[in-house]
Amino acid sequence: MRNIFLFIRRFFTFFLFLVLQGFAIGILVNYNKSQQAVFANFANEATGWVSTKYNSVEYYFRLTETNKALAEENARLRNMLPSSFDSPDSTHIIKMDSLVKDTLGRIRKFNFLPAKVVNNSVSQENNYITLYRGAKQGVNKDMAVIGPDGIVGKVVLVSDNYCRVMSLLNHNSKVSAMTMKDFVTGYVDWDGKDPQYITLHGIPSTTKVQKGDTILTSNLSANYPPGLMIGTVSDISFEPASKVYILKLKTATNFYSLQYAYLVQNMLWDEQRKLEDQTPKIQ
């Protein structure tokens, strides 16, 4: 104990300098937007690097499960290729163009970018995911993120080589959803309890809903392509005051074992947003 006090006494000036330096940096970052942006970028890069190293060890023990998910997803994608279908009319050959338009003149709206998960939380009230892909690899803020089985979240922070995703398991996450049977729209959020379940709100009582029904992303979402899997109905309750259902959904995505994801770029979102911003406001 005596040696500890002697050590502190000998280096008291140095320790005081560190404390004051930290206090000064804290003030600089909190009250200067440019410095705050630089610090946020540096912190995101640093935490991303540490998470990458940690994830390398964790990933090794999940190789079997990850390979199985990738194989299943590749099978589904191959089933969607034009070469998987045959046409009785051999005089018409349709080839999809990977650029802006296809041979039918249709404009590509969504572009998918693969990324590896290097950090993922599921036990907090507001959970986030770190992906090993950033601004240098084409990632922008507000891009949707999906997994092999369903939606995952939305990008909220981007650095050069990493991006931070607000998970679907977050109190601030709200996603436009619709029933697969009748295309009735509502929105899903998370109550902060079980990471395997989320809640669908706003479905009118006139809608026919059963346990096991599939819930998809709707065409009202600017981030997600319509028709992506969100989950299946596991429990149904009724709210008499507003005459709507409150549906408990089993998430399609298993957030516990998520290893790979896809960032979804809406290539027409800027055009849509600019047009909507020009809408005259009623005086």
Side-chain angles (χ1 to χ4, degrees), residues 200-248:
L200 173 60
H201 306 270
I203 302 299
S205 58
T206 55
T207 307
K208 295 181 180 179
V209 181
Q210 296 178 341
K211 290 184 178 180
D213 283 356
T214 299
I215 304 300
L216 307 172
T217 53
S218 77
N219 59 343
L220 301 180
S221 174
N223 307 98
Y224 295 98
L228 295 178
M229 185 74 170
I230 298 179
T232 54
V233 177
S234 64
D235 188 61
I236 303 173
S237 58
F238 180 69
E239 193 175 81
S242 55
K243 295 183 179 180
V244 295
Y245 286 121
I246 299 177
L247 306 178
K248 186 177 181 181

Side-chain angles (χ1 to χ4, degrees), residues 84-96:
S84 298
F85 301 89
D86 191 15
S87 173
D89 184 359
S90 60
T91 61
H92 292 79
I93 301 175
I94 300 175
K95 294 182 179 179
M96 296 301 293

Side-chain angles (χ1 to χ4, degrees), residues 257-270:
S257 61
L258 187 64
Q259 292 293 313
Y260 282 93
Y262 294 91
L263 294 130
V264 185
Q265 178 186 12
N266 186 342
M267 303 176 71
L268 300 180
W269 170 234
D270 287 339

Side-chain angles (χ1 to χ4, degrees), residues 162-212:
Y162 296 90
C163 65
R164 195 72 165 154
V165 177
M166 181 173 66
S167 171
L168 190 63
L169 308 179
N170 189 302
H171 282 307
N172 297 315
S173 175
K174 285 182 173 59
V175 178
S176 179
M178 66 179 179
T179 59
M180 186 176 181
K181 290 182 178 179
D182 304 317
F183 306 108
V184 179
T185 59
Y187 71 92
V188 295
D189 61 12
W190 188 50
D191 59 8
K193 297 178 181 178
D194 193 332
Q196 299 183 79
Y197 294 93
I198 55 178
T199 307
L200 173 60
H201 306 270
I203 302 299
S205 58
T206 55
T207 307
K208 295 181 180 179
V209 181
Q210 296 178 341
K211 290 184 178 180

Side-chain angles (χ1 to χ4, degrees), residues 94-142:
I94 300 175
K95 294 182 179 179
M96 296 301 293
D97 194 340
S98 60
L99 299 178
V100 179
K101 295 183 179 180
D102 63 15
T103 55
L104 298 179
R106 296 176 298 186
I107 298 176
R108 176 182 288 275
K109 184 176 182 180
F110 295 104
N111 189 35
F112 298 84
L113 307 174
K116 183 180 179 182
V117 177
V118 296
N119 193 13
N120 181 20
S121 64
V122 297
S123 59
Q124 308 297 321
E125 289 189 0
N126 293 310
N127 294 288
Y128 292 90
I129 300 169
T130 303
L131 300 181
Y132 188 23
R133 190 174 189 126
K136 290 184 176 180
Q137 296 82 37
V139 180
N140 298 311
K141 187 179 178 182
D142 292 331

